[in-house]
Amino acid sequence: MTQVARPPRTDTGQRRGLAARVSLGRIFTPPSNEFVLIASTALLLTVFGIIMVISATSATESGVMDTAIKQAMFAAIGIPMMFLVSRLPIAFLKKMAWPALILATMLQLLVFIPGIGVENDGNRNWINVAGFSLQPSEFLKLAIALWVAYVLLRKRVLLGIWHHVFIPVIPVSLLAIGTVMAGHDLGTVMVLVLILLGCLFFAGVKLRLFIIPVLLGVVGVAALAVLSPDRMRRISAVCTDMTNYENDCYQSIHAVWGMANGGIFGLGLGNSQEKYGWLPAAANDFIFAIVGEELGLIGGLVVLALFTFFAVGAFHIMRKTTDPFVRVAAGGITVWIIGQALINIGVVIGIFPVLGVPLPFMSQGGTALLAVLLACGVLLAFARTIPAPARGKVTR
């Protein structure tokens, strides 16, 4: 009997098997502490927000189920997308910086097209598509953070020269932010300016070069305020007494009353009194007042603690990363989410005038929730790039 000679083994099969094992190893690699911290806080805040939106809208005529289903639907879309974006390579995110900014700006320009753009309380910052209201400026926040980080990455050795810092960052950013300014949305403009300044700061730009961007931002915000009599009246209103109760201070006073009624332990979930027609936008910009009324000081501190843990995870990414793009983009996203949360809470407790800025993760609004979950996905993608020694591995 003759034996058939076997072909000699090559290293190709071995290399393929090794590549497969390495690929599987990357998939099942335990996530970093920063990944777990950001993902868990984002999920907890989202679920917490859905519960509070259901509670805040339970007294509305439209019915709680319609609102709850819409909010839960956007969460059901945004959470998987968050984890999907977390698997994207950093090189792909860099390539998408310019297309994302262009696409987001084009979407924002749709608000000025009759029949598509929607105006609400003097602000033209929404579009109506197939019965759904979308706010394109929410996606512009993420696009600006990625784009500025990408441009500053390519100029990282020239950041000590002012014109290399400002061109094209400042003109292009102002052009994109100008599309929101044209819609008279002062709160969103302030957040976008914060993102721009945050990116410049975490890029290591010298503080003396911040003078021009800060002045431009102040001039822009002041122009928006002065050119709108309604907005100027709200900004100049003093809400420390009852003389302006039925006018500009109505929302602020009722928000403070609601939180005062909550005390330390709150009135109980679902037992808010302000949501019964007393507090406008109870499920939107003033959701934190409902949290304070129903869950008390403890509930408010829990929300603040979750945002604090989120910030800690994001700052750890910035501290441990070796990629300037990751550091700058993560800084811009963190300034966006944490800064917007502080502005919203400041409005609710009466520190700031009413600016129309939602509380990230928690306020009613599908576009805002979807955008912030996508931004969290980018942060999670950054968390996967943290070098192994920085993940707490013990070296011998």
Side-chain angles (χ1 to χ4, degrees):
M1 233 180 123
T2 59
Q3 295 182 349
V4 179
R6 295 181 179 179
R9 294 184 62 183
T10 63
D11 293 337
T12 304
Q14 294 179 354
R15 287 197 297 269
R16 289 177 179 174
L18 179 60
R21 289 195 297 273
V22 171
S23 178
L24 288 175
R26 289 176 180 173
I27 294 177
F28 294 104
T29 300
S32 64
N33 294 332
E34 292 76 18
F35 186 99
V36 174
L37 195 58
I38 293 173
S40 59
T41 51
L43 292 175
L44 287 173
L45 284 168
T46 301
V47 174
F48 195 5
I50 293 175
I51 294 173
M52 295 311 304
V53 167
I54 292 174
S55 177
T57 57
S58 60
T60 59
E61 296 179 358
S62 60
V64 63
M65 289 308 299
D66 183 49
T67 303
I69 289 174
K70 286 183 179 180
Q71 192 75 2
M73 181 185 67
F74 277 100
I77 296 174
I79 291 174
M81 290 186 66
M82 177 180 71
F83 289 107
L84 180 63
V85 172
S86 72
R87 304 299 306 183
L88 296 177
I90 305 302
F92 178 80
L93 294 176
K94 294 176 181 178
K95 291 179 181 179
M96 289 300 297
W98 270 106
L101 181 65
I102 295 173
L103 180 60
T105 305
M106 292 176 64
L107 283 175
Q108 179 61 29
L109 290 174
L110 293 178
V111 304
F112 304 106
I113 299 179
I116 298 179
V118 178
E119 184 172 342
N120 187 15
D121 293 333
N123 295 340
R124 195 173 184 86
N125 202 22
W126 288 265
I127 59 175
N128 196 320
V129 179
F132 286 94
S133 294
L134 303 177
Q135 192 172 1
S137 59
E138 294 295 328
F139 299 113
L140 189 59
K141 297 173 184 177
L142 177 59
I144 284 184
L146 292 176
W147 178 80
V148 174
Y150 177 73
V151 173
L152 294 181
L153 168 69
R154 304 196 44 127
K155 293 192 170 194
R156 59 186 180 274
V157 298
L158 302 172
L159 295 183
I161 306 174
W162 72 269
H163 59 272
H164 283 289
V165 174
F166 294 150
I167 300 174
V169 170
I170 299 301
V172 176
S173 297
L174 290 181
L175 181 62
I177 297 174
T179 61
V180 182
M181 292 179 63
H184 307 292
D185 191 348
L186 178 60
T188 302
V189 168
M190 291 177 62
V191 175
L192 290 170
V193 173
L194 282 177
I195 295 172
L196 174 60
L197 295 178
C199 289
L200 291 174
F201 176 80
F202 288 105
V205 175
K206 295 179 180 179
L207 293 180
R208 59 183 174 82
L209 297 180
F210 276 75
I211 298 176
I212 295 180
V214 170
L215 290 178
L216 290 175
V218 171
V219 170
V221 171
L224 274 179
V226 172
L227 294 176
S228 174
D230 178 68
R231 187 177 293 114
M232 194 65 189
R233 188 182 66 252
R234 284 185 293 163
I235 292 175
S236 60
V238 179
C239 301
T240 56
D241 53 38
M242 297 294 294
T243 58
N244 205 12
Y245 167 71
E246 294 184 355
N247 298 312
D248 302 316
C249 296
Y250 183 84
Q251 292 186 98
S252 299
I253 290 176
H254 274 281
V256 174
W257 281 356
M259 298 189 68
N261 289 334
I264 297 178
F265 299 102
L267 303 178
L269 186 63
N271 293 329
S272 168
Q273 299 174 7
E274 294 293 337
K275 66 184 179 183
Y276 287 93
W278 294 105
L279 180 62
N284 299 311
D285 302 339
F286 286 86
I287 189 73
F288 189 75
I290 304 300
V291 173
E293 185 181 9
E294 295 187 349
L295 303 179
L297 177 64
I298 294 178
L301 290 177
V302 168
V303 173
L304 292 175
L306 288 174
F307 278 110
T308 301
F309 292 142
F310 181 92
V312 168
F315 279 114
H316 275 210
I317 292 175
M318 289 180 269
R319 182 174 62 88
K320 296 179 180 180
T321 186
T322 57
D323 190 336
F325 172 79
V326 171
R327 181 174 59 255
V328 176
I333 293 172
T334 305
V335 169
W336 158 23
I337 296 176
I338 302 302
Q340 185 169 313
L342 293 177
I343 292 174
N344 176 274
I345 295 173
V347 168
V348 171
I349 64 178
I351 297 177
F352 304 130
V354 178
L355 296 172
V357 174
L359 183 62
F361 299 105
M362 297 190 64
S363 290
Q364 178 186 359
T367 310
L369 178 60
L370 185 60
V372 79
L373 287 174
L374 289 175
C376 288
V378 173
L379 288 179
L380 295 180
F382 293 162
R384 293 183 181 275
T385 66
I386 296 176
R391 294 186 180 182
K393 290 187 177 182
V394 178
T395 57
R396 296 182 181 178

